[in-house]
């Protein structure tokens, strides 16, 4: 199955799986990163994700289990 990118996602994005999304968000903020998509639950697959911008302007997603 092929899915087209949405309007806001024009390029590939790195996704990092973490054990603790909330704790990782705190560490991102403490390290100078900026949350650009708040913690969002994907109930259908039992996961949560968030997106952040690092100090160099790169957008990265983090995912973890609910």
């Amino acid at each position: 199955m092929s899915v087209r990118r949405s309007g806001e996602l024009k390029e590939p994005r790195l996704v990092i799986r973490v054990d603790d999304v909330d704790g990782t968000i705190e560490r991102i903020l403490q390290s100078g990163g900026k949350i650009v998509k708040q913690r969002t639950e994907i109930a259908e697959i039992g996961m949560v994700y968030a997106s952040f911008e690092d100090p160099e302007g790169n957008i990265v997603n983090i995912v973890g289990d609910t």
Side-chain angles (χ1 to χ4, degrees):
M1 180 170 115
S2 177
V3 177
R4 296 210 178 263
R5 294 180 193 267
S6 69
E8 69 181 44
L9 185 58
K10 298 292 186 188
E11 66 279 332
R13 188 171 292 171
L14 179 65
V15 178
I16 302 171
R17 182 162 186 141
V18 298
D19 291 329
D20 178 9
V21 170
D22 295 322
T24 302
I25 288 171
E26 287 301 317
R27 288 191 298 280
I28 288 166
L29 294 172
Q30 292 170 0
S31 300
K34 175 179 142 187
I35 301 302
V36 295
K37 174 70 175 172
Q38 294 297 323
R39 181 188 192 280
T40 303
E41 187 170 336
I42 309 169
E44 298 83 10
I45 60 173
M47 296 188 82
V48 295
Y49 79 99
S51 299
F52 71 94
E53 182 178 341
D54 71 11
E56 295 180 352
N58 300 300
I59 304 293
V60 181
N61 291 341
I62 55 174
V63 299
D65 296 325
T66 53

